[in-house]
Amino acid sequence: MEAAVPSRVALSAASRFPSRHAVAGDRSSIYKGRCQNLAIPMALSAAAPGKGGVLDRPVEKTTPGRQSEFDVKKKRKMTPPYRVILHNDNYNRREYVVQVLMKVIPGMTVDNAVNIMQEAHVNGLSVVIVCSQSEAEEHCTSLRGNGLRSSIEPASGGC
């Protein structure tokens, strides 16, 4: 008895009710081996400890001479902050100071550079950036290399 239903596969009685004794290679049998669903043994083996399961922490491989990302972040947090200070001078034009600040300091916008330049012009000095000591020394050296007067000092008291 076959049912003729459009857009559906016709089902015979043999395929709807498989026999208990399946023969290897029989297409009407549902059970062909020990375990039909291969996802179950794979899921069990993935959850085993030390086999790269979901709960295992990934091992970060570092090459000699390079620091891991965790060490770099920890080092940044541990080092005390330093201020890079720009001093006013009567030698450089304001536009040049803005250009140098944007070139030397990463992420410096035109608006921030103009504000820093103006503060240094009016008050005599201005804080350019607060960063680690090594970065502050690099920025200070770069600013001086471009003809600007700058210095660094420890940023104490959270100011």
Side-chain angles (χ1 to χ4, degrees), residues 92-108:
N92 296 304
R93 296 181 56 96
R94 294 181 186 188
E95 295 82 11
Y96 177 73
V97 173
V98 170
Q99 289 177 353
V100 170
L101 286 171
M102 290 174 42
K103 180 175 82 172
V104 169
I105 308 299
M108 180 68 68

Side-chain angles (χ1 to χ4, degrees), residues 1 31 37 43 45 61 65 85 107 124 131:
M1 172 175 156
Y31 308 103
N37 189 351
S45 67
K61 297 179 182 178
I85 299 174
C131 53

